[in-house]
Every structure is written in C-alpha cells, then in structure tokens.
Amino acid sequence: MPSAKLTFCGAARGVTGSCYHLALDGVELLVDCGIFQGAVGDDDADDVNRRPFPFDPARLAAVVLTHGHVDHCGRLPLLSRRSDGAFRGPVLGHPATLEIARIIMADSAKIAQHAHGDPLYDDGDVTDVARHFQPLKGYRDRRTVGPFTIELFDAGHILGSSSVRVSWRDPGAASGERAILFSGDLGVPDAPILRDPNRAWDPERHTVDWVVTESTYGDKLHPARAEARRTFREVVERATADGGKVLIPAFALGRTQDILYELDRMIEGGELRRIPVIIDGPLALSATQIYRRHPECYDADAMALLERGDHPLELDHLIEARDPKASRRAVAQHGPAIIVAGSGMCNGGRILHHLEEHLGDPRTDVLLVGYQAARTLGRALQDGAREVRLHRKSIDVRAKVTTISGFSAHGDRDALAAWHAALPRRDGATTFVTHGEERSSLPYAQLLGDRFGARTVVPSLYDTVELG
Ligand SMILES: [Zn+2]
C-alpha cells in the first residue's frame, strides 16, 4: 500500500494562505485554499498569491473548506480559472461555511476591482467555482472521495467552522485505517453564539495518526472572556450616558455578530438603555443574515434565547445600513447611537466616514475590540494619536479611545493545548504545527512535546511529508 503524501501549500510558518494538499493512489484532495495577506517570509503576499499552485488543479478530486474566512477560501476562484486545466470537482464543507465563502469571495473580487494592477480574479470566477459547492449535511456527516472518508467536527471559531478528519483504509496498519485531522481555526471556549471546539471524541471512531493544528496564539494567553464582557458593558454604558456616538470598528464576519449578541444581551437585560444600534456595511449584514439562518450551529445559551422568542441577533433598535445612501444617512444621524462598521483596523471601509464625522467630538467613544496592526489608523488611535489624516484631511482627535482585548475568535495557548490533549491519537502520532508566526508555532510545538510528549513538526511552505 503506497503511503499518502501531504504538502503544505500555505499557512506554514505564517498565519495566512491556509492550503493543504493530500494525495493517495492517484487521488488528490485539497483542504482549504486561502489567500495570503501581508508578507510571506521576504515576499509580498500578492506575488505569492499569483504563483502557480504546486499541484495541478485539474487533478483535484475535491476541495474541503474548514471555514469561510478569506485566508481559508480566498484562492478558491483561482482553481477554476485556468482554461487549460481547471478544477471541476466538488467543493465540500459545512452548509454555513459554503454560504459564507460565497459572500467572502465576492467581496474579495470587489476589492480587487478597485485595487491597483491586474485583479487576482473577478466575480465571474467566483460564480464559476461556487457552481461546484456541495454542502455536507453538517457536522458528523461523512463523505467519500476516492479512498478518502471526510468528516467535519465543530471548531467553534466562526459559523460553520470545522475541523476536518480525513481517513483511508490501510490493511498494513493495526487499526486497518490511517487518519489525519486538520484543526481548522479553533475558537475560544465559552464565546457567544457558537459551541466550543469539539472535544467529544470517540476513541473507537475518531483516533488519528496525524494532526495539523493551528497555532495563531500558541504563545499567548487571552484575558478571560467574562472580564472582556464586563469592560465592554461598562464602556458602552458610560459612553452612551453623554449622548454621543460609540464607534466600533469590527470585522464583518464573526466579530460583528459577537458584538451584536453582547449588545442584545445588555439591552434585553436592562443594563443598557435602548439606543439605536447601526450596522453599516453590506458584508456585515449579509454575514449576520447567514448567522440568523443557521441556529443549528448555536450553543445552548443562544438556543435557549431563541426558544424564548428572543433572537440573539435581532435587536429592536437595529438599523441596517446596506447601501451607500443608508450609510450616509447613518453618518449624519443626530443623537446617541452605537455604530458597528468595518474595517476592523480602520484601514478602509465605512467606519472611516463615521470617524471623520465624529472623532472631533469629545462625546464620541471609539471601542477597539480587535487586533490593530502596525501602520493602520486603528493602531494610531490606539496609540493615542491626537491628530490623524482621513480622506486627505487632518482631524483632531477629541474622542475617547478604549481597547478591549479578550474578544478573540482564536483560542489562546492553553485552549489550543487542551483541545490537542483531548484528541485521541495513536502511538507515534505526529502533530504538524501550522497557521502561526514562528514566534507562536515554535514555542507551541515545544510545549506540546514537553507537556504531552507529542512528536511535533513545524513545516515550511511547500514542504511535502510522507504519511506512512
Ligand atoms: Zn479563521
């Protein structure tokens, strides 16, 4: 029996571009096909995205998506783009993941249209690849592709997010099979709306020989979620008392729904007076609609609310600003309001119009709930800039700026390690540590070895390993 081969085509010693290629008996399978962002080693991400894949897309039997973030699905349209030999197989995933991937890829094509240079792909390419979408029934549904059996498990990161177990028969193995589990991105236990990353493994059916695990925060510990919630509530309460605006720059997918959920809890619980909440942006609104359509992904708390007739993502005072006209109305609206808009780091998007209008007002509060990368406007505000440039204008910052950490969508070091410890692994199993900068992946690999005696490898981009 020939052994399977695994190639790391992304997110190796970096966090973006997730893409893993698995080959056995002439059958090829891809897990994720994400876009690279920022820098990849010494190279510009845009150049790396334009490189030919280290495999032939036409030979792929299927692609499986772990979730719909752009760094996991953003290169998918490139697979079916080549006229000489394009991918024609099914794209498999949780139904919610495929719905999210569709809007994320369309958004990515829209952004590319407005960027300089030749766009990576266009909306036609997105439509082409979306024709191949074949949702599984959900978690625990199994699908066979050639020699491979594929099964999804809840990863608790964003709606539909999955860990993917791939197994195949091997008469030479004591168990008669071999199996590898791709963690996907792993969420934070006890985060709102979603269930925790799966830990209910059945050793009879789920034991694996190899693990590919993310390590985004493999070297960090998050503040407790409860503490983040408390701070968030206090700041919003204080901020709305003076009748000013509360501006929350947030990622359209995941973070916006988290914030909406927390606000709904506070308003319904009487902790916050009823003031308008505005979600400004078509992507955030579409993502929220997909969240509303998939209550089967909710955790017990969110389900209990739903059963009581209080939809956790529907607020009485919610204003949905989808088109630019509605956005302009939202910017000009008088009186107190909480405004959630992208981008999460204020380096583009509709939040800029709100900042331009309200940063000069001392009654305004800016709440930073996500990571702010260097050289973004969000970071400048976080660092206490008193003057910023926006739309070629200089603006005095009189607004209060508050940072709340603890709303991460990725589990921290201890959450990752606890997830790994719960997973049934066969003797001699190897764990590949990916999806993390070296400063996270290397110490995390070390920790898995020291604490659990795990055999670990931190692969580099385009490394191929034999699974045998
Ligand atoms: Zn993700």
Side-chain angles (χ1 to χ4, degrees):
M1 181 89 182
S3 54
K5 278 197 178 67
L6 172 67
T7 305
F8 299 90
C9 310
R13 299 190 179 234
V15 288
T16 65
S18 275
C19 187
Y20 307 104
H21 180 266
L22 194 58
L24 176 70
D25 286 348
V27 180
E28 300 181 24
L29 188 73
L30 207 62
V31 175
D32 283 345
C33 196
I35 212 157
F36 290 96
Q37 295 165 309
V40 183
D42 295 331
D43 299 317
D44 189 59
D46 194 48
D47 296 335
V48 184
N49 286 325
R50 286 168 198 277
R51 280 183 201 156
F53 289 103
F55 51 82
D56 179 359
R59 291 185 55 85
L60 291 175
V63 181
V64 189
L65 289 186
T66 62
H67 65 291
H69 272 146
V70 74
D71 62 321
H72 292 258
C73 72
R75 273 191 295 165
L76 210 48
L78 296 176
L79 291 177
S80 52
R81 197 173 194 210
R82 289 181 15 174
S83 51
D84 50 334
F87 167 64
R88 293 279 173 259
V91 178
L92 309 172
H94 190 283
T97 290
L98 298 187
E99 285 181 41
I100 289 170
R102 181 76 179 80
I103 61 166
I104 290 294
M105 292 189 302
D107 184 66
S108 179
K110 199 168 86 188
I111 294 168
Q113 248 176 26
H114 300 294
H116 299 295
D118 198 17
L120 202 54
Y121 51 81
D122 60 26
D123 211 39
D125 300 316
V126 174
T127 309
D128 274 352
V129 78
R131 275 197 202 108
H132 303 293
F133 280 11
Q134 285 184 19
L136 273 73
K137 289 199 187 81
Y139 299 121
R140 306 293 174 106
D141 183 25
R142 288 185 165 205
R143 180 74 63 97
T144 306
V145 176
F148 300 118
T149 300
I150 293 153
E151 189 171 359
L152 307 180
F153 298 87
D154 203 332
H157 167 64
I158 60 167
L159 193 82
S161 63
S162 311
S163 299
V164 179
R165 185 179 188 271
V166 182
S167 58
W168 57 94
R169 290 187 48 71
D170 183 351
S175 59
E177 68 149 25
R178 300 282 187 179
I180 181 167
L181 186 92
F182 297 87
S183 71
D185 287 4
L186 294 167
V188 179
D190 197 31
I193 311 170
L194 304 176
R195 290 185 290 264
D196 293 353
N198 182 62
R199 290 216 214 155
W201 305 105
D202 174 359
E204 291 282 313
R205 303 177 66 225
H206 302 142
T207 299
V208 297
D209 301 278
W210 301 275
V211 187
V212 177
T213 179
E214 71 125 316
S215 60
T216 315
Y217 291 111
D219 64 333
K220 282 203 172 62
L221 293 174
H222 298 324
R225 180 91 197 184
E227 195 186 308
R229 271 185 194 139
R230 195 166 48 241
T231 318
F232 181 73
R233 190 179 60 231
E234 283 165 9
V235 174
V236 177
E237 236 172 318
R238 176 170 54 73
T240 52
D242 62 6
K245 299 281 192 297
V246 182
L247 307 183
I248 308 179
F251 298 110
L253 182 55
R255 199 66 50 89
T256 291
Q257 293 75 33
D258 268 18
I259 296 298
L260 202 54
Y261 179 94
E262 299 292 4
L263 288 171
D264 175 66
R265 292 294 74 228
M266 288 183 230
I267 292 171
E268 290 298 323
E271 297 162 288
L272 198 68
R273 62 202 182 98
R274 291 181 185 270
I275 65 166
V277 175
I278 301 171
I279 294 190
D280 190 358
L283 186 62
L285 289 167
S286 298
T288 305
Q289 277 174 353
I290 297 174
Y291 266 72
R292 287 175 185 150
R293 275 206 296 273
H294 288 279
E296 78 279 10
C297 298
Y298 293 2
D299 66 7
D301 291 348
M303 277 312 281
L305 289 171
L306 204 58
E307 277 155 20
R308 289 211 309 261
D310 171 12
H311 197 297
L313 292 173
E314 279 171 18
L315 271 75
D316 287 346
H317 291 67
L318 187 65
I319 298 171
E320 305 197 341
R322 186 174 281 274
D323 54 52
K325 215 167 106 191
S327 177
R328 280 194 295 275
R329 264 202 311 274
V331 170
Q333 180 168 320
H334 290 291
I338 298 168
I339 299 161
V340 185
S343 77
M345 295 191 264
C346 310
N347 50 342
R350 291 189 180 172
I351 192 71
L352 296 186
H353 301 288
H354 296 283
L355 291 168
E356 186 181 355
E357 185 74 17
H358 301 298
L359 270 182
D361 186 339
R363 293 174 307 165
T364 301
D365 277 82
V366 180
L367 280 191
L368 301 173
V369 291
Y371 177 72
Q372 306 297 318
R375 292 192 294 277
T376 59
L377 175 60
R379 174 63 80 85
L381 292 170
Q382 187 167 51
D383 290 346
R386 300 314 303 162
E387 194 186 320
V388 293
R389 286 195 71 77
L390 244 173
H391 297 136
R392 299 202 183 84
K393 275 194 289 192
S394 171
I395 293 172
D396 289 335
V397 181
R398 296 198 189 88
K400 292 186 282 297
V401 179
T402 309
T403 298
I404 298 176
S405 51
F407 277 114
S408 176
H410 286 271
D412 65 9
R413 186 196 70 194
D414 287 356
L416 289 174
W419 176 86
H420 188 273
L423 185 65
R425 289 166 293 125
R426 274 187 263 277
D427 288 345
T430 299
T431 296
F432 301 101
V433 180
T434 63
H435 199 292
E437 303 287 344
E438 285 183 352
R439 62 165 196 269
S440 309
S441 56
L442 295 174
Y444 181 58
Q446 180 83 39
L447 176 140
L448 289 181
D450 294 348
R451 209 187 277 181
F452 307 107
R455 209 164 80 186
T456 57
V457 173
V458 182
S460 296
L461 192 58
Y462 307 127
D463 277 359
T464 295
V465 291
E466 291 228 1
L467 305 180

